[in-house]
Amino acid sequence: MSETVTAPAVRTTAAPPALGGPGLFTVLLAAALPLVDFFIVNVALPTIGADLAAGEAVLELVVAGYGVAYAVLLVLGGRLGDLFGRRRLFLAGMAAFGLTSLACGLAPGAWSLVAARVAQGASAAAMLPQVLATIQSATSGARRARAMSLYGATAGLSMVAGQILGGVLVAADVAGTGWRAIFLVNVPVVVLGLVLAARFVPETRSQHPEPVDGPGTVLLAVSLLTLLAPLTEGRAAGWPLWTWLALAAFPFAAGAFWAVERRADRSGRTPLVPPSLFRVPSMRRGLELMVPFSIGFSGFMFMIALALQQGAGLGPVPAGLALAPMAVAFLFVSLAGPRLIARFGTRVVTAGSVLQGVGVLLIVLAAWRDWPRLDVVSLLPGAAVAGAGQALQLPNIMRLVMSEVPPARAGVGSGVMVTTQQSALALGVATLGTLFLTLVPHLGMRDALISTLLVQLGGIVLTGLLSLRLPRTVG
């Protein structure tokens, strides 16, 4: 009787979950929502103020409340995704974003709108870090490079499209909703996103989940609040004493945060923001570029919305559509970005800063020559060239920052990157926006716009110089 020989069992490890095309579309849809909502209110603020009898200081809070809550909680959102599962946090954050958007759209008064916007920012902070972390954990190789490039393109396009969409929705007055449509439009998008996410987004989590860093979370929140709250609210409030006290406290809070994080890192515990992440050259140098780029981007969008409506006398739709060439150029150039970065390396980022600088100079020339008859035709050359330059920078910077972050720390890395971006976006409105509004009474709208755009140009030059220090290739 022959003896049956059985092969020894081979232990196999489960393949990591894969993020397919529908899943990638879903997470990119979610990535667009928070950025669209950061910029969509710019052209709607005059209408909101008139309808709710809200003063300038309260309207500033409609913008700042969302931005500060979003920035303060992003890193925590990334850590919670690592701990409890990124898909789970993604679904919860997206559902909360839809509910808080509904609350914004139905707000009966200015202060209830401010409260709903703060809650909306917190919801976005739970949702967005899971996007990058899922891409980092559920893709690899060329698929990850393509997904990261698409993420960067989505982020940049959302910031421009948000302002255009805001103008169109306010003017359309859908079913008599007026400005409320800019928030209510999120609800059907969120419902679609939840249905798609439940089916196509895989669950991922850190293999070694780490507890939340309580002291680090509190100190990061205090640091960002003491910087962003006075800068975003100070001018409209008349720079009361609390703004100066908060700014004076900022360096101490930031120093305490960094000391606590370094101590935790050295003792073997996992801090909220591991200082060891910044020893990775691609992350450190990418974040250095992210700050001046994002400050200039948001400051420009805020200034141009005010200048076109209050200075050039355009309505919400023409003011929004004046930036359409920027959005179109950004879309098409960003699609070519992966091929360009593969062929020419990170010098593509340097070329982008040069193009963006030329575009801003063309916008300065248009303002000097045509004011107050600024419209989509006069702004077209500058907006298109600037948009092309931005498209060569932002997607590639984002891809670079995350290129060497290990999948186990994908949530932390994505939280750090998006917090840096969001804080810089808020700083752009606070610094360049405040400078512009301060100069208007003294120089007039045209010269204030030109002067502030030239200051932004200095930031673009800085971005270009910093890009020369980048690694030549991106993983």
Side-chain angles (χ1 to χ4, degrees):
M1 183 176 178
S2 62
E3 195 172 287
T4 304
V5 178
T6 58
V10 178
R11 180 178 295 178
T12 59
T13 57
L19 184 69
L24 180 60
F25 170 81
T26 304
V27 295
L28 292 180
L29 178 68
L33 284 172
L35 287 169
V36 165
D37 268 60
F38 184 83
F39 288 91
I40 202 169
V41 299
N42 280 349
V43 293
L45 286 176
T47 310
I48 294 173
D51 186 43
L52 299 181
E56 187 178 0
V58 178
L59 290 177
E60 289 276 359
L61 282 175
V62 172
V63 179
Y66 175 86
V68 172
Y70 185 23
V72 164
L73 296 172
L74 273 165
V75 179
L76 178 61
R79 172 62 60 83
L80 291 175
D82 287 349
L83 187 62
F84 295 111
R86 292 157 189 151
R87 179 175 176 269
R88 181 180 299 176
L89 259 290
F90 178 82
L91 289 167
M94 179 173 269
F97 191 85
L99 291 173
T100 52
S101 296
L102 182 64
C104 289
L106 300 178
W111 286 107
S112 58
L113 177 59
V114 170
R117 282 284 282 174
V118 171
Q120 190 187 33
S123 302
M127 174 177 65
L128 189 64
Q130 318 318 324
V131 173
L132 276 170
T134 298
I135 290 173
Q136 195 78 353
S137 300
T139 60
S140 60
R143 287 179 63 84
R144 180 185 296 173
R146 177 174 172 271
M148 284 301 302
S149 296
L150 287 172
Y151 174 87
T154 300
L157 191 61
S158 299
M159 291 189 277
V160 182
Q163 207 138 306
I164 298 172
L165 180 63
V168 171
L169 287 173
V170 170
D173 193 21
V174 180
T177 54
W179 59 267
R180 298 176 187 275
I182 68 174
F183 301 115
L184 297 176
V185 71
N186 292 335
V187 177
V189 177
V190 164
V191 171
L192 173 64
L194 289 172
V195 172
L196 293 174
R199 182 170 182 183
F200 295 113
V201 175
E203 178 65 281
T204 64
R205 69 177 71 208
S206 174
Q207 294 300 311
H208 305 286
E210 296 141 344
V212 171
D213 172 17
T217 300
V218 172
L219 286 170
L220 177 62
V222 171
S223 301
L224 291 174
L225 283 171
T226 53
L227 176 65
L228 296 178
L231 286 179
T232 53
E233 188 66 13
R235 187 198 62 83
W239 296 106
L241 179 61
W242 72 265
T243 59
W244 299 108
L245 293 176
L247 288 172
F250 166 70
F252 297 99
F257 168 71
W258 193 247
V260 165
E261 299 300 272
R262 287 184 63 188
R263 190 180 303 116
D265 216 9
R266 289 172 176 172
S267 65
R269 292 178 284 117
T270 301
L272 185 71
V273 179
S276 55
L277 274 181
F278 296 96
R279 291 200 290 268
V280 178
S282 58
M283 169 162 268
R284 185 179 65 252
R285 292 174 182 172
L287 292 178
E288 288 173 356
L289 267 71
M290 181 76 73
V291 172
F293 177 87
S294 299
I295 286 174
F297 197 113
S298 63
F300 170 82
M301 299 296 285
F302 180 78
M303 284 186 293
I304 204 71
L306 287 179
L308 292 177
Q309 289 190 89
Q310 298 181 6
L314 298 182
V317 172
L321 291 179
L323 298 176
M326 180 178 287
V328 173
F330 192 104
L331 174 62
F332 284 103
V333 175
S334 63
L335 292 176
R339 293 192 298 275
L340 293 172
I341 204 83
R343 181 172 181 183
F344 300 107
T346 55
R347 290 299 174 261
V348 169
V349 178
T350 309
S353 65
V354 173
L355 269 181
Q356 186 187 4
V358 171
V360 169
L361 284 175
L362 289 172
I363 293 171
V364 167
L365 178 62
W368 177 76
R369 182 191 61 214
D370 298 332
W371 188 268
R373 295 181 302 279
L374 280 183
D375 55 22
V376 64
V377 175
S378 59
L379 291 175
L380 190 152
V385 173
Q390 290 162 349
L392 293 178
Q393 294 175 83
L394 183 61
N396 295 317
I397 292 172
M398 288 183 161
R399 178 179 161 190
L400 177 76
V401 169
M402 295 296 292
S403 62
E404 295 177 312
V405 175
R409 286 190 163 179
V412 177
S414 64
V416 170
M417 187 188 79
V418 181
T419 297
T420 302
Q421 181 195 28
Q422 182 60 36
S423 300
L425 289 174
L427 275 175
V429 175
T431 53
L432 291 177
T434 297
L435 174 63
F436 170 69
L437 292 171
T438 302
L439 292 177
V440 168
H442 306 286
L443 302 180
M445 188 73 74
R446 185 197 74 167
D447 291 346
L449 176 64
I450 290 173
S451 300
T452 314
L453 286 174
L454 292 176
V455 173
Q456 182 199 353
L457 186 62
I460 295 170
V461 171
L462 174 62
T463 304
L465 293 174
L466 289 173
S467 71
L468 297 174
R469 300 176 63 242
L470 292 176
R472 289 302 299 265
T473 59
V474 181

